[in-house]
């Protein structure tokens, strides 16, 4: 493979495979203004959410970190931050954190400019100016070893662990061989198989960290007096042929390939260069993918047996299935079909190569089905109660 591909070089040395103008509401109260600006200025991406107010401690910090991380994502070329003016997320501090990447950032609050109508007009003018500068940027050759890919599964069925997940694992190994990074998450969906991942950790300390995040989650479930059964595997998983969480977990862990685990990172924490990493994250599709994007992933490869249409705000999401019926029924949502692994006409290597080719094409600019359909889902994993 050629050692480079065409991407956008950022001021801090990162590379992007997209060049978004991101519009960030600091609080739910500015969602509608952000959405209207996005509708008025083509090429912009807004990330409405329900947070930013009535939060304290670690929960407030998480909202800030995810918004900042999403703004820092290398697929984002510039950022416009819009606040109400009285929330707990400080727009000036958020702008300053994102500016550390060297990308242009503008911010204002709705109360100061005089209400929603004036805010929409003011924001649209700022967005048009930022977009005009972004459109002047040209792609340059960048090395494959800068690429970071998240691996995720959702709407799993019996075919996921038999075909699409191991095929994605083979593709993950291909990227790591090029010097790139793979991040796997879903702490809730490795339970029962965490010992197998722990055995692959490079050091005992990393293994202990992996066990720690699993134990932390299980302690929280017990504190709530809840039982995971009935929620994981989900009703859809069970209808698709998965019987236990252990069975689901064994399939889940196969999608990250065979490389050693070089580190365990927190939700939305920056994904290091070169190698395989585990991010503590929920199994919830949008929260998990949003955490990976905030950590700097360029792409997420998402396997599904039952079928799911969701994408993400600032990163392409490649949908992969090993279920032929799902691919045929949901072809407008699915990018890669690896069901030939199950009928004997295709091998694991061929399926992995097919996914790896899709990754390289998307990195070079090919749109995923989710991008074509306008999917821009975004959600922040929450820790604490509202005040």
């Amino acid at each position: 493979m050629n050692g480079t591909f065409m991407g956008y070089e950022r001021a801090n040395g990162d590379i992007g495979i997209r060049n978004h103008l991101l519009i960030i509401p600091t609080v739910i109260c500015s969602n509608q203004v952000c959405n209207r600006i996005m509708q008025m200025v083509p090429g912009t991406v807004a990330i409405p959410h329900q947070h930013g107010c009535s939060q304290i401690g670690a929960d407030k910090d998480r909202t800030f970190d995810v918004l900042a991380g999403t703004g820092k994502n290398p697929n984002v070329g510039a950022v416009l931050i819009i606040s109400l003016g009285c929330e707990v997320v400080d727009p000036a501090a958020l702008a300053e954190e994102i500016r550390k990447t060297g990308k242009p950032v503008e911010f204002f609050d709705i109360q100061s400019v005089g209400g929603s109508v004036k805010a929409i007009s003011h924001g649209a003018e700022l967005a048009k100016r930022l977009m005009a500068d972004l459109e002047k940027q040209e792609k340059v050759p960048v090395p494959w070893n800068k690429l970071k890919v998240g691996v995720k599964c959702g709407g799993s069925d019996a075919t996921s662990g038999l075909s699409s997940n191991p095929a994605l694992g083979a593709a993950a190994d291909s990227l790591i061989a090029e010097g790139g990074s793979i991040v796997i998450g879903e702490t809730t969906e490795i339970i029962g198989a965490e010992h197998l991942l722990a055995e692959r950790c490079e050091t005992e300390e990393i293994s202990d960290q992996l066990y720690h995040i699993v134990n932390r989650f299980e302690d929280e479930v017990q504190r709530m007096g809840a039982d995971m059964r009935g929620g994981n595997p989900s009703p859809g998983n069970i209808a698709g042929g998965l019987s236990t969480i252990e069975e689901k977990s064994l399939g889940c862990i196969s999608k990250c390939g065979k490389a050693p685990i070089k580190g365990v990172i927190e939700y939305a924490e920056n994904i290091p260069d070169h190698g395989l990493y585990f991010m503590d994250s929920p199994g919830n599709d949008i929260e998990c993918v949003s955490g990976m994007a905030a950590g700097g992933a360029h792409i997420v490869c998402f396997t599904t047996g039952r079928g799911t249409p969701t994408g993400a705000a600032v990163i392409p999401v490649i949908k992969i299935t090993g279920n032929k019926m799902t691919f045929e029924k949901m072809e407008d949502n699915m990018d890669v079909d690896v069901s030939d692994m199950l009928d004997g006409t295709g091998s694991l290597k061929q399926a992995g190569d097919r996914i790896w080719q899709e990754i390289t094409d998307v990195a070079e600019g090919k749109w995923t089905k989710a991008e074509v359909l306008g999917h821009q889902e975004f959600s922040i994993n929450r820790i604490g109660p509202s005040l």
Side-chain angles (χ1 to χ4, degrees), residues 49 109 121 137 159 164 185-186 221-222 246 261 268 306 312 337 368-369 374 377 385:
H49 58 89
D109 70 78
S121 177
Q137 294 183 10
T159 69
S164 56
E186 302 178 279
V221 172
Q222 290 181 2
E246 292 84 2
I261 296 174
R306 302 277 295 177
D337 177 12
T368 65
K369 298 286 185 66
E377 284 79 8

Side-chain angles (χ1 to χ4, degrees), residues 162-309:
L162 293 172
S163 55
S164 56
N165 284 350
L168 178 53
D173 287 337
S174 295
L175 177 59
I176 289 176
E178 292 290 331
S181 297
I182 293 289
V183 61
I184 181 174
E186 302 178 279
T187 307
T188 57
E189 301 194 2
I190 67 167
I191 293 174
E194 65 268 33
H195 61 291
L196 298 176
L197 287 182
E199 291 172 357
R200 292 171 50 187
C201 292
E202 282 194 336
T203 67
E204 186 175 346
E205 180 183 5
I206 297 170
S207 175
D208 289 343
Q209 289 174 335
L210 185 69
Y211 280 124
H212 168 70
I213 63 172
V214 171
N215 292 336
R216 182 171 64 185
F217 172 77
E218 290 180 325
D219 289 345
E220 181 63 14
V221 172
Q222 290 181 2
R223 185 191 68 79
M224 294 172 62
D227 189 337
M228 283 181 57
R229 288 172 295 185
N232 197 11
S234 70
N237 295 152
I238 294 168
L242 295 174
S243 59
T244 64
I245 189 171
E246 292 84 2
E247 184 179 21
K248 184 178 180 181
S249 295
L250 288 168
C252 174
I253 65 172
S254 68
K255 65 180 181 284
C256 66
K258 299 178 179 179
I261 296 174
K262 300 184 68 173
V264 174
I265 59 178
E266 294 290 342
Y267 181 77
E269 186 178 347
N270 184 60
I271 302 162
D273 293 331
H274 318 311
L276 173 62
Y277 298 87
F278 189 95
M279 176 181 285
D280 181 26
S281 68
N284 178 274
D285 295 345
I286 312 306
E287 290 184 5
C288 178
V289 173
S290 297
M292 290 176 171
H298 297 95
I299 298 170
V300 165
C301 290
F302 190 127
T303 64
T304 180
R306 302 277 295 177
T308 169

Side-chain angles (χ1 to χ4, degrees), residues 290-368:
S290 297
M292 290 176 171
H298 297 95
I299 298 170
V300 165
C301 290
F302 190 127
T303 64
T304 180
R306 302 277 295 177
T308 169
T310 54
V314 299
I315 59 176
V317 177
I318 298 172
K319 288 295 174 58
I320 305 155
T321 187
N323 187 319
K324 188 67 174 178
M325 291 186 294
T326 296
F327 186 81
E328 291 174 349
K329 287 193 297 184
M330 299 185 67
E331 191 171 358
D332 55 344
N333 301 113
M334 300 294 111
D335 296 288
V336 184
D337 177 12
V338 295
S339 61
D340 55 355
M341 283 180 63
L342 298 180
D343 64 22
T345 61
S347 68
L348 173 62
K349 182 181 184 307
Q350 290 171 328
D353 288 347
R354 197 174 309 144
I355 296 171
W356 174 232
Q357 183 63 56
E358 189 73 11
I359 292 171
T360 61
D361 290 345
V362 169
E364 289 272 16
K366 177 183 177 181
W367 279 27
T368 65

Side-chain angles (χ1 to χ4, degrees), residues 129-146:
R129 176 167 60 79
L130 290 168
M131 277 298 301
D133 290 338
L134 284 183
E135 288 169 352
K136 297 175 185 176
Q137 294 183 10
E138 295 184 357
K139 288 185 174 183
V140 298
V142 293
W144 284 104
N145 63 15
K146 300 283 276 186

Side-chain angles (χ1 to χ4, degrees), residues 15-73:
I15 62 99
I17 65 169
R18 300 293 186 266
N19 204 25
H20 297 300
L21 169 57
L22 179 64
I23 305 174
I24 301 179
T26 57
V27 65
I28 188 172
C29 306
S30 52
N31 281 353
Q32 179 61 6
V33 168
C34 292
N35 285 335
R36 289 292 294 126
I37 294 169
M38 178 179 67
Q39 292 166 0
M40 294 169 66
V41 184
T44 59
V45 177
I47 49 171
H49 58 89
Q50 70 184 72
H51 306 297
C53 193
S54 304
Q55 292 180 283
I56 56 173
D59 206 42
K60 180 187 76 170
D61 293 342
R62 170 157 291 181
T63 295
F64 183 94
D65 290 344
V66 174
L67 294 178
T70 307
K72 290 178 177 180
N73 186 284

